[in-house]
Every structure is written in structure tokens, then in C-alpha cells.
Amino acid sequence: MQQTLRALADPTRREILNLLKGGRMPAGEIADRFEISGAAISRHLSILREAGLIRDERDGKYIFYELNASVLEEIMLWLTDLQGGRRHD
């Protein structure tokens, strides 16, 4: 969980997760949305994948990324439990 929380701490990685809410995307399309190098995006994707927040799948010469909702759900359950099961709407 520590690796996951560390991955979520970076604003670029959070923005990548927001992009992937709309469905799977190829790495190049993700990179096109940012003003940083492709290598930097590749590193962010690697950190998100290692944290279990995204999955990748090769399709021909492209690598597609998508959210791994189960890890996000685990974090949400932990946060809810941390606050004693109370919800603040």
C-alpha cells in the first residue's frame, strides 16, 4: 500500500489516472497530453504499473494502459476504515 500511496502523491500520475478513467489508451496518446518528455511519461507509467494502479497490454506495436480498479477500491476501503467507517457527504 505504501508504494501505491507514493505513486498517487505525484500530480502527473494522478492526471494520468484521470485520463484513463475514460478507458484504455496507448502510451503515445497519453504522452501527447503532457508537456514533458516521453521518457518521463514512461517512468510515470512504470511507477503506476508497479504500484498496481494500472495494467498494460501489448497490441501489435502499441502498449495500451488501463486503470486497475481493484487496487483503487482497496485504498478506498482502507481510507473508509481509517475514518471509522463514517462517510462525510
Side-chain angles (χ1 to χ4, degrees):
M1 182 167 311
Q2 185 174 356
Q3 187 177 22
T4 303
L5 293 173
R6 203 173 290 147
L8 290 170
D10 184 88
T12 300
R13 292 193 284 270
R14 290 194 306 268
E15 184 58 32
I16 291 170
L17 293 174
N18 277 324
L19 286 173
L20 293 175
K21 282 192 312 188
R24 72 184 211 144
M25 293 176 69
E29 192 174 324
I30 294 169
D32 289 345
R33 307 283 182 103
F34 295 90
E35 299 281 331
I36 58 177
S37 71
I41 290 296
S42 180
R43 181 67 184 138
H44 284 299
L45 290 169
S46 178
I47 290 168
L48 289 168
R49 190 180 63 246
E50 290 167 6
L53 292 165
I54 62 173
R55 292 186 281 254
D56 63 339
E57 179 182 336
R58 183 171 291 277
D59 187 0
K61 64 179 184 173
Y62 299 101
I63 299 176
F64 287 85
Y65 292 89
E66 65 184 349
L67 286 177
N68 182 5
S70 63
V71 172
L72 293 170
E73 289 170 357
E74 183 180 318
I75 294 291
M76 294 298 290
L77 288 171
W78 177 77
L79 289 171
T80 300
D81 186 56
L82 187 64
Q83 66 179 168
R86 295 185 311 268
R87 292 189 56 149
H88 295 100
D89 294 344

